Amino acid sequence: MDPDANLRAGDPERNAALDRLGRYFADGYLDIQEFDERTRRAAAAQTRGELAQLFVDLPVVPGVAASSELVAEAGAQGELDEVVRRNRRVQAIDGVIWSVTMITFFLGLFVLNWNYFWVVFPLAAFTSWGVRAVFRLDPEEEKVAKELAEKEKKERAERLRHAADKRTELGR
């Protein structure tokens, strides 16, 4: 018995199972009724064991991930989602830190005539570093999150371009 069978299944696991069922259906291993039944069960599954039961009578096919691979993939996807979430928080806090820094710098320089107005920059850099330490976001994770955000931005722009082309094509 799989020790993970009683663990709760989340959206990443259910989505991976639905993708896998779709590949089995496309390859002819499932007919339409079986596919419909299994996708309903996959969407309603609450544990990883329930998801694994959907594949016990299906052969291992190259290109179709096994249940253990799906769990590992879903875990990696969940970890990536967590890194992206932490990166977004860090970026938002950084925006506030550096906005306050610039306001303080210009107030100190021009309004209050501080002699040490420049000290706000090292303080802001230290604070920004501290935020990354608190959120446990290392430079490699930050780089991956940035690359993913850029990729999503490009994909969105492409979808919008495609939609605009379709709208033009339809004469709207």
Side-chain angles (χ1 to χ4, degrees):
M1 171 110 187
D2 183 10
D4 291 339
N6 291 325
L7 290 178
R8 301 274 305 176
D11 288 338
E13 289 95 349
R14 284 188 283 273
N15 289 338
L18 290 168
D19 290 344
R20 187 175 174 206
L21 286 169
R23 287 187 295 253
Y24 276 113
F25 176 67
D27 289 343
Y29 290 99
L30 297 172
D31 64 27
I32 189 73
Q33 289 84 14
E34 289 175 307
F35 176 71
D36 187 45
E37 160 67 21
R38 291 182 195 220
T39 53
R40 262 192 257 121
R41 287 177 39 207
Q46 294 183 347
T47 66
R48 291 178 177 175
E50 291 174 18
L51 291 174
Q53 285 298 313
L54 298 171
F55 303 99
V56 294
D57 63 333
L58 294 171
V60 176
V61 177
V64 179
S67 295
S68 60
E69 292 171 351
L70 289 175
V71 170
E73 183 180 317
Q77 186 64 38
E79 189 176 356
L80 179 62
D81 291 343
E82 175 63 22
V83 167
V84 168
R85 184 185 63 77
R86 287 192 330 243
N87 184 61
R88 284 185 183 148
R89 285 186 177 170
V90 166
Q91 296 304 317
I93 294 169
D94 263 357
V96 171
I97 289 170
W98 289 99
S99 295
V100 169
T101 298
M102 294 308 294
I103 291 168
T104 305
F105 171 76
F106 285 113
L107 283 175
L109 179 62
F110 296 114
V111 176
L112 302 174
N113 294 319
W114 287 344
N115 291 331
Y116 298 101
F117 56 85
W118 53 268
V119 79
V120 296
F121 291 109
L123 288 173
F126 181 74
T127 305
S128 189
W129 171 81
V131 168
R132 282 164 176 73
V134 167
F135 281 92
R136 297 181 321 273
L137 188 68
D138 65 42
E140 187 64 31
E141 291 175 337
E142 199 167 359
K143 181 181 174 184
V144 168
K146 182 180 178 183
E147 289 170 0
L148 185 61
E150 288 174 5
K151 181 181 175 193
E152 288 174 356
K153 189 176 182 180
K154 287 179 183 176
E155 289 173 354
R156 182 174 185 270
E158 185 59 36
R159 285 193 309 270
L160 290 174
R161 254 189 243 99
H162 181 70
D165 291 344
K166 285 290 186 186
R167 179 175 279 183
T168 303
E169 203 175 275
L170 295 172
R172 288 187 178 182

